[in-house]
């Protein structure tokens, strides 16, 4: 059974997918060796032989978790450890929080932005749709991607640069650049990161298949839908997390527990942001199914004429 085939069995409701991703994102699967991952794949391949044994059912569940958290759905290849879905929370959380912290200078803000944008690009690259994984990617693509990541980091650090460069003192202006602008800006940059990494899919299209798994053709519209859905889910994840410190500050300042102490306020609100980010990761991954659907009427004309299926499927990616 292919890894994408396993994704086809995912629940169709958001709640069901959320619970499933909570199981898949267990960080202990990152400790699995390549041999253990391939053994888990073999267990899933022989599912019919072991499903009736209660003792084996636990083994099957663990094997499913290992496969879905370690193998690429399109290729079946083992994803680099730090870019596997279970690694997203331990690696991305400190980087996101570091970008939200108040920085003394633009250099510090840029440093954390470039680390976060670089990790995001690596994760998006490793978990994208790989319909044409055998095609050689042009060398300039890597340079272009590095430039886009650097550009995103520069834009992310711009509010801090403006405040330092022009020595802004107005409380209202500092409130805008320091607190109100960063959440939507980070959300937009996270969506931009997904699009920049996966623009190759929109240019060349991705495979769409029927309910039996037969490839119907290559669709640019399905690729655009897959990339758009992933960009929206990532923007929601980062944008909501970035808004947490701003939303919590007036509530915490008025709390009797903190007694209005800003010394206590800062760590509390950023710890809360980290917890929210961790809780939202499975929600972000669950926002749209991994095995996405697209109506035949939304496909290109040549694909509509080549099948009678009302709905076709594609791998969305993460």
């Amino acid at each position: 059974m292919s890894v994408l085939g396993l994704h086809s069995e995912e629940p169709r409701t958001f709640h069901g997918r959320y619970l499933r991703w909570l199981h898949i994102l267990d960080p202990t699967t990152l400790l699995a060796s390549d041999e253990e991952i391939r053994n888990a794949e073999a267990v899933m391949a022989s599912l019919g032989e072991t499903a009736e044994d209660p003792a084996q059912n636990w083994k099957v569940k663990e094997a499913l978790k290992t496969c879905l958290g370690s193998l690429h759905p399109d290729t079946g290849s083992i994803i680099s450890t730090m870019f596997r879905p279970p690694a997203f929370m331990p690696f991305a959380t400190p980087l996101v929080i570091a970008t939200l912290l108040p920085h003394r200078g633009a250099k510090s803000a840029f440093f954390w932005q470039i680390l976060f944008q670089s990790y995001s690009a690596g994760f998006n690259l490793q978990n994208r749709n790989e319909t044409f994984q055998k095609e050689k990617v042009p060398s300039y693509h890597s340079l272009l991607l590095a430039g886009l990541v650097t550009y995103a980091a520069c834009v992310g650090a711009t509010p801090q640069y403006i405040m330092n460069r022009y020595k802004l003192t107005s409380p209202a202006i500092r409130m805008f650049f320091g607190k109100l602008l960063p959440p939507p800006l980070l959300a937009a940059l996270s969506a931009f990161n997904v699009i920049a990494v996966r623009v190759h899919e929109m240019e060349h299209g991705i495979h769409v298949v029927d309910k039996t798994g037969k490839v119907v053709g290559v669709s640019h519209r399905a690729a655009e839908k897959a990339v758009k859905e992933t960009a929206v889910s990532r923007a929601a994840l980062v944008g909501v997390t970035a808004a947490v410190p701003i939303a919590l500050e007036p509530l915490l300042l008025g709390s009797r527990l903190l007694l209005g102490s800003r010394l206590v306020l800062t760590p509390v609100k950023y710890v809360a942001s980290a917890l929210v980010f961790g809780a939202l990761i499975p929600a972000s991954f669950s926002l749209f199914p991994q095995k996405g659907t697209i109506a035949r009427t939304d496909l290109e004309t040549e694909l509509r004429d080549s099948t009678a299926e009302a709905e076709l499927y594609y791998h969305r990616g993460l």
Side-chain angles (χ1 to χ4, degrees), residues 5-274:
L6 298 176
H7 275 297
S8 68
E9 300 174 2
E10 66 182 335
R12 303 308 297 175
T13 64
F14 170 80
H15 180 257
R17 292 194 298 271
Y18 183 85
L19 294 177
R20 193 186 201 209
W21 272 112
L22 280 178
H23 180 64
I24 296 172
L25 294 176
D26 180 359
T28 60
T29 59
L30 298 173
L31 302 176
S33 64
D34 289 0
E35 182 180 358
E36 290 172 328
I37 294 171
R38 291 306 179 190
N39 288 339
E41 188 179 21
V43 169
M44 296 311 302
S46 60
L47 182 61
E49 302 174 8
T50 60
E52 298 300 324
D53 186 351
Q56 293 293 329
N57 280 338
W58 176 85
K59 184 178 180 180
V60 168
K61 290 179 181 178
E62 291 301 303
L64 175 63
K65 177 174 68 175
T66 300
C67 287
L68 293 179
S70 308
L71 299 175
H72 193 282
D74 288 329
T75 65
S77 60
I78 298 176
I79 302 171
S80 301
T81 303
M82 68 181 298
F83 296 121
R84 293 174 193 170
F88 191 74
M89 182 174 69
F91 280 94
T93 302
L95 297 179
V96 169
I97 300 307
T99 63
L100 298 177
L101 290 171
H103 300 282
R104 291 186 176 181
K107 291 181 180 180
S108 175
F110 174 79
F111 173 77
W112 290 109
Q113 283 286 344
I114 195 69
L115 288 183
F116 174 60
Q117 293 297 336
S118 296
Y119 178 77
S120 297
F123 184 87
N124 295 333
L125 191 65
Q126 290 272 317
N127 293 278
R128 71 193 189 284
N129 179 291
E130 292 199 12
T131 291
F132 298 106
Q133 74 277 5
K134 293 182 180 180
E135 288 190 0
K136 184 178 180 180
V137 178
S139 57
Y140 69 81
H141 185 268
S142 298
L143 294 175
L144 178 61
L145 183 57
L148 291 173
V149 167
T150 304
Y151 169 78
C154 289
V155 173
T158 296
Q160 186 67 46
Y161 172 79
I162 291 175
M163 287 193 294
N164 290 358
R165 174 66 176 79
Y166 297 102
K167 297 180 172 33
L168 302 178
T169 57
S170 168
I173 295 179
R174 292 190 67 85
M175 169 71 76
F176 174 77
F177 282 104
K179 296 182 179 180
L180 299 182
L181 182 58
L185 183 61
L186 285 176
L189 290 176
S190 296
F192 171 78
N193 194 301
V194 172
I195 295 170
V197 170
R198 300 180 58 177
V199 67
H200 185 266
E201 296 170 37
M202 295 188 286
E203 291 177 350
H204 298 275
I206 61 175
H207 282 158
V208 288
V209 301
D210 60 20
K211 59 185 177 183
T212 66
K214 178 184 176 182
V215 176
V216 175
V218 175
S219 172
H220 292 82
R221 294 183 181 178
E224 291 172 2
K225 187 170 185 283
V227 174
K228 178 181 178 181
E229 289 173 342
T230 307
V232 168
S233 68
R234 201 61 47 77
L237 169 64
V238 177
V240 172
T241 301
V244 169
I246 303 167
L248 284 180
E249 185 166 347
L251 298 176
L252 293 175
L253 282 175
S255 170
R256 291 183 178 180
L257 179 64
L258 297 180
L259 299 176
S261 173
R262 290 188 175 274
L263 184 63
V264 180
L265 171 67
T266 299
V268 168
K269 67 181 183 181
Y270 287 109
V271 167
S273 299

Side-chain angles (χ1 to χ4, degrees), residues 273-314:
S273 299
L275 294 175
V276 169
F277 184 76
L280 286 180
I281 289 173
S284 173
F285 290 173
S286 306
L287 200 55
F288 303 99
Q290 277 294 285
K291 191 168 185 178
T293 59
I294 184 170
R296 183 172 67 90
T297 53
D298 293 334
L299 293 170
E300 293 85 342
T301 304
E302 61 272 16
L303 291 179
R304 291 201 300 265
D305 296 338
S306 63
T307 180
E309 296 281 346
E311 197 172 54
L312 296 173
Y313 305 91
Y314 59 87

